[in-house]
Amino acid sequence: MSAVVNNISRNARKNRLLNLSILRYDPNDPASVPRMQEYRVEEAESMTLFIALNEIREHQDQTLQFDFVCRAGICGSCAMMVNGRPQLACRTLTCDLPDEITLAPLPFFELIGDLSVNTGKWMRGMSERLQAWLHAQKREVDICRIEERMDPDLAEQIYELDRCIECGCCVAACGTAQMRKDFVGAVGMGKIARFRLDPRDTRTDDDYFELIGDDTGVFGCMSLLACHDVCPKQLPLETQIAFLRRKMATLGLGG
Ligand code: SF4
Ligand code: F3S
Ligand code: FES
């Protein structure tokens, strides 16, 4: 019954006139001043914000900057603030939004212009700082060597964390990240959790403590959990961060 009601309300909202209020600013233009610009778009069935923004760029304003690559929730490049909440524009249906839609770039990351931010630069720096790659034992290259079997449950847990698309939503939603630029965010802690689970990684908990056992990592996190709420891939951030913090706290006490 509720699905029927939902469909009726979605159809009834079809062909609304959407009012998109978009933050415009070009940090590379000294004459540019941050301002909100209004655009009107006629809603179509199954319209996403990606489609609405393209409609604007194709028919109303070619100067509007925003990023898209995959249009399928895979590349992470289209994250933006939608009515104050970080989310992927390509996976956001306009029928789930009110008539008035406010769009702004993700905070925290370097602004390129309008809705476009440089998440890649920050993600690269964070990944290098945390050495977020597999530290496997050095072996002679043997193409005939069969990799040891991994327990399927463990492989599943690692896969869960590997689904991160580095969209930056968790960092944009995090109060700690807004206060300190060197915070590695839920995305950084998720990466450490992923390699810590991996039996092929040779690093010890003391090595991980060196990387995230301070206020830039687990002890900077205030358990606000906005990261968990906004992650578009529903990564198990809450449990992983809590586990890491308990583990690092034990190590910090000499355990
Ligand atoms: Fe995006 Fe989730 Fe990865 Fe954060 S953890 S970058 S919200 S996919
Ligand atoms: Fe931030 Fe998530 Fe911790 S929102 S404070 S990283 S629980
Ligand atoms: Fe790739 Fe939205 S365009 S996630």
Side-chain angles (χ1 to χ4, degrees), residues 110-123:
E110 181 184 307
L111 180 67
I112 295 171
D114 301 333
L115 301 173
S116 172
V117 293
N118 196 343
T119 47
K121 183 177 170 187
W122 185 85
M123 291 290 171

Side-chain angles (χ1 to χ4, degrees), residues 170 173-177 183 185-186 189 220-228 241:
C170 56
C174 173
T176 303
F183 185 55
M189 290 185 276
C221 169
M222 299 181 289
S223 301
L224 300 173
L225 296 181
C227 53
H228 188 88
I241 292 173

